[in-house]
PDB file of all heavy atoms in Angstrom:
ATOM      1  N   GLY A 240     -41.685  -9.731-148.435  1.00  0.00           N
ATOM      2  CA  GLY A 240     -40.494 -10.528-148.014  1.00  0.00           C
ATOM      3  C   GLY A 240     -40.678 -11.216-146.758  1.00  0.00           C
ATOM      4  O   GLY A 240     -41.681 -11.869-146.466  1.00  0.00           O
ATOM      5  N   GLY A 241     -39.586 -11.223-145.899  1.00  0.00           N
ATOM      6  CA  GLY A 241     -39.651 -11.946-144.628  1.00  0.00           C
ATOM      7  C   GLY A 241     -40.224 -11.018-143.433  1.00  0.00           C
ATOM      8  O   GLY A 241     -40.148 -11.381-142.276  1.00  0.00           O
ATOM      9  N   SER A 242     -40.747  -9.832-143.769  1.00  0.00           N
ATOM     10  CA  SER A 242     -41.317  -9.002-142.837  1.00  0.00           C
ATOM     11  C   SER A 242     -42.374  -9.697-141.958  1.00  0.00           C
ATOM     12  O   SER A 242     -42.966 -10.664-142.374  1.00  0.00           O
ATOM     13  CB  SER A 242     -41.982  -7.761-143.402  1.00  0.00           C
ATOM     14  OG  SER A 242     -40.984  -7.114-144.269  1.00  0.00           O
ATOM     15  N   MET A 243     -42.564  -9.075-140.778  1.00  0.00           N
ATOM     16  CA  MET A 243     -43.563  -9.669-139.884  1.00  0.00           C
ATOM     17  C   MET A 243     -44.908  -9.595-140.506  1.00  0.00           C
ATOM     18  O   MET A 243     -45.394  -8.413-140.751  1.00  0.00           O
ATOM     19  CB  MET A 243     -43.334  -8.977-138.547  1.00  0.00           C
ATOM     20  CG  MET A 243     -44.646  -9.076-137.766  1.00  0.00           C
ATOM     21  SD  MET A 243     -44.155  -8.206-136.192  1.00  0.00           S
ATOM     22  CE  MET A 243     -43.314  -9.404-135.312  1.00  0.00           C
ATOM     23  N   VAL A 244     -45.654 -10.653-140.623  1.00  0.00           N
ATOM     24  CA  VAL A 244     -47.161 -10.543-141.074  1.00  0.00           C
ATOM     25  C   VAL A 244     -47.973 -11.467-140.108  1.00  0.00           C
ATOM     26  O   VAL A 244     -47.584 -12.659-140.020  1.00  0.00           O
ATOM     27  CB  VAL A 244     -47.402 -10.970-142.526  1.00  0.00           C
ATOM     28  CG1 VAL A 244     -48.720 -11.114-142.918  1.00  0.00           C
ATOM     29  CG2 VAL A 244     -46.571  -9.976-143.490  1.00  0.00           C
ATOM     30  N   GLU A 245     -49.052 -10.926-139.787  1.00  0.00           N
ATOM     31  CA  GLU A 245     -49.941 -11.856-138.864  1.00  0.00           C
ATOM     32  C   GLU A 245     -50.864 -12.290-139.875  1.00  0.00           C
ATOM     33  O   GLU A 245     -51.946 -11.837-140.241  1.00  0.00           O
ATOM     34  CB  GLU A 245     -50.658 -11.051-137.824  1.00  0.00           C
ATOM     35  CG  GLU A 245     -49.834 -10.560-136.713  1.00  0.00           C
ATOM     36  CD  GLU A 245     -50.527  -9.568-135.909  1.00  0.00           C
ATOM     37  OE1 GLU A 245     -50.454  -8.423-136.064  1.00  0.00           O
ATOM     38  OE2 GLU A 245     -51.136 -10.033-134.841  1.00  0.00           O
ATOM     39  N   ALA A 246     -50.672 -13.647-140.244  1.00  0.00           N
ATOM     40  CA  ALA A 246     -51.585 -14.271-141.326  1.00  0.00           C
ATOM     41  C   ALA A 246     -53.031 -14.339-140.995  1.00  0.00           C
ATOM     42  O   ALA A 246     -53.889 -14.177-141.892  1.00  0.00           O
ATOM     43  CB  ALA A 246     -50.876 -15.661-141.581  1.00  0.00           C
ATOM     44  N   ASP A 247     -53.184 -14.620-139.623  1.00  0.00           N
ATOM     45  CA  ASP A 247     -54.582 -14.664-139.255  1.00  0.00           C
ATOM     46  C   ASP A 247     -55.369 -13.257-139.107  1.00  0.00           C
ATOM     47  O   ASP A 247     -56.453 -13.228-138.643  1.00  0.00           O
ATOM     48  CB  ASP A 247     -54.758 -15.512-137.978  1.00  0.00           C
ATOM     49  CG  ASP A 247     -53.957 -14.931-136.876  1.00  0.00           C
ATOM     50  OD1 ASP A 247     -52.999 -14.194-137.037  1.00  0.00           O
ATOM     51  OD2 ASP A 247     -54.189 -15.229-135.652  1.00  0.00           O
ATOM     52  N   LYS A 248     -54.590 -12.220-139.386  1.00  0.00           N
ATOM     53  CA  LYS A 248     -55.172 -10.810-139.167  1.00  0.00           C
ATOM     54  C   LYS A 248     -55.344 -10.179-140.518  1.00  0.00           C
ATOM     55  O   LYS A 248     -55.636  -8.962-140.461  1.00  0.00           O
ATOM     56  CB  LYS A 248     -54.349 -10.075-138.105  1.00  0.00           C
ATOM     57  CG  LYS A 248     -54.235 -10.646-136.673  1.00  0.00           C
ATOM     58  CD  LYS A 248     -55.638 -10.421-136.117  1.00  0.00           C
ATOM     59  CE  LYS A 248     -55.633 -11.000-134.549  1.00  0.00           C
ATOM     60  NZ  LYS A 248     -55.460 -12.557-134.602  1.00  0.00           N
ATOM     61  N   LEU A 249     -55.143 -10.807-141.651  1.00  0.00           N
ATOM     62  CA  LEU A 249     -55.195 -10.102-142.912  1.00  0.00           C
ATOM     63  C   LEU A 249     -56.502  -9.564-143.233  1.00  0.00           C
ATOM     64  O   LEU A 249     -56.752  -8.480-143.549  1.00  0.00           O
ATOM     65  CB  LEU A 249     -54.798 -11.023-143.983  1.00  0.00           C
ATOM     66  CG  LEU A 249     -53.261 -11.347-144.127  1.00  0.00           C
ATOM     67  CD1 LEU A 249     -52.944 -12.520-145.019  1.00  0.00           C
ATOM     68  CD2 LEU A 249     -52.448 -10.249-144.293  1.00  0.00           C
ATOM     69  N   ASP A 250     -57.531 -10.400-142.793  1.00  0.00           N
ATOM     70  CA  ASP A 250     -58.919  -9.939-143.062  1.00  0.00           C
ATOM     71  C   ASP A 250     -59.291  -8.752-142.288  1.00  0.00           C
ATOM     72  O   ASP A 250     -60.002  -7.798-142.729  1.00  0.00           O
ATOM     73  CB  ASP A 250     -59.972 -11.103-142.618  1.00  0.00           C
ATOM     74  CG  ASP A 250     -60.022 -12.281-143.618  1.00  0.00           C
ATOM     75  OD1 ASP A 250     -59.310 -12.063-144.698  1.00  0.00           O
ATOM     76  OD2 ASP A 250     -60.533 -13.301-143.261  1.00  0.00           O
ATOM     77  N   LEU A 251     -58.801  -8.813-141.081  1.00  0.00           N
ATOM     78  CA  LEU A 251     -59.112  -7.727-140.132  1.00  0.00           C
ATOM     79  C   LEU A 251     -58.288  -6.398-140.649  1.00  0.00           C
ATOM     80  O   LEU A 251     -58.947  -5.335-140.585  1.00  0.00           O
ATOM     81  CB  LEU A 251     -58.482  -8.147-138.734  1.00  0.00           C
ATOM     82  CG  LEU A 251     -59.158  -7.318-137.682  1.00  0.00           C
ATOM     83  CD1 LEU A 251     -60.317  -7.934-137.349  1.00  0.00           C
ATOM     84  CD2 LEU A 251     -58.017  -7.318-136.552  1.00  0.00           C
ATOM     85  N   ALA A 252     -57.112  -6.464-141.297  1.00  0.00           N
ATOM     86  CA  ALA A 252     -56.397  -5.327-141.697  1.00  0.00           C
ATOM     87  C   ALA A 252     -57.192  -4.807-142.853  1.00  0.00           C
ATOM     88  O   ALA A 252     -57.469  -3.682-142.901  1.00  0.00           O
ATOM     89  CB  ALA A 252     -55.149  -5.755-142.176  1.00  0.00           C
ATOM     90  N   THR A 253     -57.764  -5.676-143.813  1.00  0.00           N
ATOM     91  CA  THR A 253     -58.645  -5.216-144.795  1.00  0.00           C
ATOM     92  C   THR A 253     -59.871  -4.493-144.357  1.00  0.00           C
ATOM     93  O   THR A 253     -60.314  -3.282-144.702  1.00  0.00           O
ATOM     94  CB  THR A 253     -59.164  -6.308-145.761  1.00  0.00           C
ATOM     95  OG1 THR A 253     -58.084  -6.970-146.067  1.00  0.00           O
ATOM     96  CG2 THR A 253     -60.009  -5.851-146.824  1.00  0.00           C
ATOM     97  N   GLU A 254     -60.528  -5.048-143.192  1.00  0.00           N
ATOM     98  CA  GLU A 254     -61.622  -4.370-142.691  1.00  0.00           C
ATOM     99  C   GLU A 254     -61.400  -3.037-142.128  1.00  0.00           C
ATOM    100  O   GLU A 254     -62.098  -2.031-142.312  1.00  0.00           O
ATOM    101  CB  GLU A 254     -62.152  -5.286-141.557  1.00  0.00           C
ATOM    102  CG  GLU A 254     -63.439  -4.938-140.976  1.00  0.00           C
ATOM    103  CD  GLU A 254     -63.707  -5.801-139.659  1.00  0.00           C
ATOM    104  OE1 GLU A 254     -63.429  -7.077-139.707  1.00  0.00           O
ATOM    105  OE2 GLU A 254     -64.323  -5.135-138.599  1.00  0.00           O
ATOM    106  N   ILE A 255     -60.134  -2.900-141.367  1.00  0.00           N
ATOM    107  CA  ILE A 255     -59.870  -1.658-140.885  1.00  0.00           C
ATOM    108  C   ILE A 255     -59.591  -0.543-141.936  1.00  0.00           C
ATOM    109  O   ILE A 255     -60.068   0.550-141.839  1.00  0.00           O
ATOM    110  CB  ILE A 255     -58.600  -1.650-139.908  1.00  0.00           C
ATOM    111  CG1 ILE A 255     -58.891  -2.524-138.625  1.00  0.00           C
ATOM    112  CG2 ILE A 255     -57.939  -0.482-139.605  1.00  0.00           C
ATOM    113  CD1 ILE A 255     -57.765  -2.900-137.886  1.00  0.00           C
ATOM    114  N   MET A 256     -58.920  -0.989-143.008  1.00  0.00           N
ATOM    115  CA  MET A 256     -58.642  -0.100-144.168  1.00  0.00           C
ATOM    116  C   MET A 256     -60.020   0.396-144.717  1.00  0.00           C
ATOM    117  O   MET A 256     -60.101   1.578-145.108  1.00  0.00           O
ATOM    118  CB  MET A 256     -57.784  -0.717-145.208  1.00  0.00           C
ATOM    119  CG  MET A 256     -56.280  -0.899-144.772  1.00  0.00           C
ATOM    120  SD  MET A 256     -55.244  -1.434-146.121  1.00  0.00           S
ATOM    121  CE  MET A 256     -55.542  -3.193-146.086  1.00  0.00           C
ATOM    122  N   SER A 257     -60.976  -0.500-144.842  1.00  0.00           N
ATOM    123  CA  SER A 257     -62.273   0.061-145.451  1.00  0.00           C
ATOM    124  C   SER A 257     -62.920   0.721-144.438  1.00  0.00           C
ATOM    125  O   SER A 257     -63.709   1.834-144.870  1.00  0.00           O
ATOM    126  CB  SER A 257     -63.047  -1.079-145.996  1.00  0.00           C
ATOM    127  OG  SER A 257     -63.661  -1.917-145.151  1.00  0.00           O
ATOM    128  N   PHE A 258     -62.895   0.515-143.185  1.00  0.00           N
ATOM    129  CA  PHE A 258     -63.553   1.219-142.124  1.00  0.00           C
ATOM    130  C   PHE A 258     -63.061   2.707-142.112  1.00  0.00           C
ATOM    131  O   PHE A 258     -63.830   3.669-142.052  1.00  0.00           O
ATOM    132  CB  PHE A 258     -63.031   0.554-140.711  1.00  0.00           C
ATOM    133  CG  PHE A 258     -63.694   1.080-139.439  1.00  0.00           C
ATOM    134  CD1 PHE A 258     -65.007   0.647-139.062  1.00  0.00           C
ATOM    135  CD2 PHE A 258     -63.085   1.993-138.652  1.00  0.00           C
ATOM    136  CE1 PHE A 258     -65.626   1.080-137.963  1.00  0.00           C
ATOM    137  CE2 PHE A 258     -63.661   2.492-137.468  1.00  0.00           C
ATOM    138  CZ  PHE A 258     -64.903   2.061-137.155  1.00  0.00           C
ATOM    139  N   CYS A 259     -61.631   2.948-142.313  1.00  0.00           N
ATOM    140  CA  CYS A 259     -61.106   4.322-142.436  1.00  0.00           C
ATOM    141  C   CYS A 259     -61.544   4.863-143.774  1.00  0.00           C
ATOM    142  O   CYS A 259     -61.875   6.114-143.722  1.00  0.00           O
ATOM    143  CB  CYS A 259     -59.585   4.212-142.385  1.00  0.00           C
ATOM    144  SG  CYS A 259     -59.049   3.738-140.761  1.00  0.00           S
ATOM    145  N   ALA A 260     -61.552   4.182-144.809  1.00  0.00           N
ATOM    146  CA  ALA A 260     -61.993   4.803-146.174  1.00  0.00           C
ATOM    147  C   ALA A 260     -63.462   5.345-145.971  1.00  0.00           C
ATOM    148  O   ALA A 260     -63.695   6.428-146.352  1.00  0.00           O
ATOM    149  CB  ALA A 260     -61.929   3.706-147.126  1.00  0.00           C
ATOM    150  N   ASP A 261     -64.262   4.465-145.315  1.00  0.00           N
ATOM    151  CA  ASP A 261     -65.664   4.878-145.131  1.00  0.00           C
ATOM    152  C   ASP A 261     -65.784   6.243-144.451  1.00  0.00           C
ATOM    153  O   ASP A 261     -66.787   7.047-144.623  1.00  0.00           O
ATOM    154  CB  ASP A 261     -66.458   3.844-144.511  1.00  0.00           C
ATOM    155  CG  ASP A 261     -66.660   2.563-145.276  1.00  0.00           C
ATOM    156  OD1 ASP A 261     -66.387   2.634-146.468  1.00  0.00           O
ATOM    157  OD2 ASP A 261     -67.119   1.497-144.708  1.00  0.00           O
ATOM    158  N   ARG A 262     -64.908   6.307-143.411  1.00  0.00           N
ATOM    159  CA  ARG A 262     -65.061   7.573-142.585  1.00  0.00           C
ATOM    160  C   ARG A 262     -64.154   8.684-143.106  1.00  0.00           C
ATOM    161  O   ARG A 262     -64.054   9.583-142.383  1.00  0.00           O
ATOM    162  CB  ARG A 262     -64.646   7.069-141.115  1.00  0.00           C
ATOM    163  CG  ARG A 262     -65.772   6.518-140.482  1.00  0.00           C
ATOM    164  CD  ARG A 262     -65.278   5.809-139.128  1.00  0.00           C
ATOM    165  NE  ARG A 262     -66.450   5.040-138.582  1.00  0.00           N
ATOM    166  CZ  ARG A 262     -67.028   3.975-139.105  1.00  0.00           C
ATOM    167  NH1 ARG A 262     -66.591   3.474-140.189  1.00  0.00           N
ATOM    168  NH2 ARG A 262     -68.066   3.436-138.536  1.00  0.00           N
ATOM    169  N   LYS A 263     -63.588   8.458-144.125  1.00  0.00           N
ATOM    170  CA  LYS A 263     -62.804   9.526-144.864  1.00  0.00           C
ATOM    171  C   LYS A 263     -61.547   9.907-143.871  1.00  0.00           C
ATOM    172  O   LYS A 263     -61.019  10.917-143.843  1.00  0.00           O
ATOM    173  CB  LYS A 263     -63.400  10.733-145.090  1.00  0.00           C
ATOM    174  CG  LYS A 263     -64.678  10.612-145.866  1.00  0.00           C
ATOM    175  CD  LYS A 263     -64.631  11.315-147.310  1.00  0.00           C
ATOM    176  CE  LYS A 263     -65.800  11.122-148.148  1.00  0.00           C
ATOM    177  NZ  LYS A 263     -66.447   9.809-148.211  1.00  0.00           N
ATOM    178  N   VAL A 264     -61.116   8.863-143.291  1.00  0.00           N
ATOM    179  CA  VAL A 264     -59.779   8.897-142.484  1.00  0.00           C
ATOM    180  C   VAL A 264     -58.601   8.601-143.302  1.00  0.00           C
ATOM    181  O   VAL A 264     -58.681   7.535-144.081  1.00  0.00           O
ATOM    182  CB  VAL A 264     -59.889   7.978-141.155  1.00  0.00           C
ATOM    183  CG1 VAL A 264     -58.549   8.058-140.501  1.00  0.00           C
ATOM    184  CG2 VAL A 264     -60.968   8.428-140.312  1.00  0.00           C
TER     185      VAL A 264
END
Side-chain angles (χ1 to χ4, degrees):
S242 307
M243 160 175 279
V244 170
E245 287 171 278
D247 59 337
K248 296 288 178 300
L249 291 168
D250 289 350
L251 203 82
T253 304
E254 190 191 317
I255 292 170
M256 287 188 278
S257 73
F258 187 83
C259 288
D261 289 348
R262 281 164 184 73
K263 309 243 177 317
V264 175

